[in-house]
Amino acid sequence: MKTISSIEEMQFFSTESKHKNLSIAFVPTMGFLHEGHLSLIENAKKYADIVVVSIFVNSKQFAENEDFGSYPRDLKRDSELCEDKKVDILFIPEVDEMYPNDFSSTVKVSGIDNHLCGISRPDHFEGVTIVVAKLFNIVRPDTVIFGQKDYQQCLIVQKMIKDLNFPINLIISPIIREVDGLAKSSRNKYLNEDQRKQATSIYRSLCFAEKQMKEDLGDIDKIYKEITNLLKSNDAEIDYVEFKNAEDLSPFKHGNKHILLAIAVRFGTTRLIDNIIIEV
Ligand code: AMP
């Protein structure tokens, strides 16, 4: 594995690879890698000759009151994990090179960003799209792998790829969970012992809803009530529990074939998200 931190060197490597007719699959991350990230890397290998993983804790997608400063970082361990996974290139750009003092551009994908996480984190997705657009221009991948865990992010990046004509194929990779169902997340480490147990109520809610929806599609309100009661009885502060059309995040309607149930909750100060796509 080669570690690159210079943008120019990364672009040079990608251009050389293209000249050699080698395809690139790219997994962007903020590091503190867990099995969710590693599954994306495994998936990436199926799509290309070369796998590039980036680690960059992107300040622009955190609001002032969020956890940018305390976001967990462990580059040494991340690098070992990537090495074990036989990643070809680990790209760890420097903040000053990504965002020099005179940096002034934005990329905004309107519409899909004004619900779910976009409501409680209004500038979040603009932070995501600017860094992803930059990384696309630097890494020049043929395929990118994103996790379904951040489903709204997947749809927004997909729309950006289409609107801005990036010649990139986006693959959505399934959610990897702990044995008790909690979705793996770098932020799980913030949970204390009680919160860690309570947090399993998120996955229990998703499974309950899926079962009910398959049996009794009519009564969404009842399912919603049961889920929110379950979450609240586990001391979760609800940001949202929403049923959406998974295709475009439009409001759920009977007849939708793929229904997204998305949940965002706080246990103490830790905000967790999860979702399920229910096929009916
Ligand atoms: P992050 O480092 O949190 O920005 O995540 C980097 C990528 O890993 C994103 O595409 C996430 O959706 C994906 N990811 C995070 N957690 C999981 C998980 N539990 N299972 C699968 N993918 C995940």
Side-chain angles (χ1 to χ4, degrees), residues 28-30 34 36-37 40 71 146-147 149-150 174-176 184:
T29 82
M30 295 205 298
H34 51 67
H37 299 111
L40 267 51
Y71 194 83
F146 279 87
K149 168 139 185 305
D150 299 273
I175 301 173
I176 303 298
K184 301 243 182 198

Side-chain angles (χ1 to χ4, degrees), residues 29-255:
T29 82
M30 295 205 298
F32 208 69
L33 304 180
H34 51 67
E35 282 157 44
H37 299 111
L38 301 182
S39 74
L40 267 51
I41 294 172
E42 275 302 321
N43 208 354
K45 289 184 189 163
K46 298 182 204 152
Y47 291 92
D49 304 306
I50 291 168
V51 173
V52 178
V53 174
S54 68
I55 296 179
F56 184 66
V57 185
N58 175 36
S59 56
K60 290 200 184 290
Q61 67 191 69
F62 291 79
E64 290 275 307
N65 59 340
E66 292 182 343
D67 57 342
F68 173 68
S70 59
Y71 194 83
R73 293 157 168 93
D74 191 342
L75 271 183
K76 186 171 175 288
R77 184 174 159 275
D78 287 349
S79 175
E80 285 163 8
L81 287 169
C82 287
E83 186 104 50
D84 287 350
K85 278 279 161 202
K86 309 221 172 331
V87 166
D88 297 286
I89 301 290
L90 179 59
F91 177 51
I92 310 181
E94 302 285 345
V95 178
D96 294 354
E97 224 199 336
M98 287 293 274
Y99 300 126
N101 284 339
D102 63 347
F103 188 85
S104 58
S105 296
T106 55
V107 174
K108 179 170 169 61
V109 176
S110 302
I112 322 176
D113 67 341
N114 58 19
H115 30 206
L116 300 179
C117 289
I119 294 175
S120 53
R121 306 184 75 190
D123 299 323
H124 170 69
F125 288 116
E126 234 176 291
V128 170
T129 42
I130 189 64
V131 80
V132 170
K134 280 177 71 73
L135 289 168
F136 283 178
N137 283 326
I138 297 166
V139 176
R140 301 176 185 166
D142 301 279
T143 302
V144 280
I145 320 285
F146 279 87
Q148 184 196 316
K149 168 139 185 305
D150 299 273
Y151 187 71
Q152 188 174 17
Q153 171 172 281
C154 292
L155 293 195
I156 288 173
V157 173
Q158 182 72 77
K159 186 70 170 39
M160 180 185 82
I161 287 174
K162 178 168 176 274
D163 286 353
L164 301 187
N165 307 100
F166 283 105
I168 297 175
N169 177 29
L170 182 145
I171 304 293
I172 301 181
S173 213
I175 301 173
I176 303 298
R177 301 178 177 283
E178 303 286 354
V179 183
D180 60 12
L182 179 67
K184 301 243 182 198
S185 164
S186 308
R187 289 190 169 104
N188 291 347
K189 105 182 248 299
Y190 298 148
L191 301 169
N192 65 31
E193 209 176 307
D194 285 341
Q195 291 168 337
R196 173 65 188 78
K197 282 187 201 136
Q198 291 162 336
T200 60
S201 60
I202 305 172
Y203 185 59
R204 284 186 276 137
S205 299
L206 296 172
C207 293
F208 170 81
E210 182 179 42
K211 188 161 174 287
Q212 294 292 306
M213 295 280 289
K214 289 198 162 166
E215 283 169 11
D216 178 18
L217 191 55
D219 213 343
I220 279 273
D221 291 344
K222 186 161 159 256
I223 300 171
Y224 177 84
K225 227 178 235 162
E226 300 247 9
I227 299 177
T228 49
N229 284 341
L230 175 64
L231 291 167
K232 282 181 195 158
S233 68
N234 279 278
D235 287 340
E237 187 198 320
I238 296 175
D239 180 351
Y240 60 75
V241 170
E242 293 219 38
F243 292 90
K244 297 275 191 188
N245 179 355
E247 308 291 330
D248 56 6
L249 301 190
S250 59
F252 161 79
K253 278 202 210 93
H254 289 290

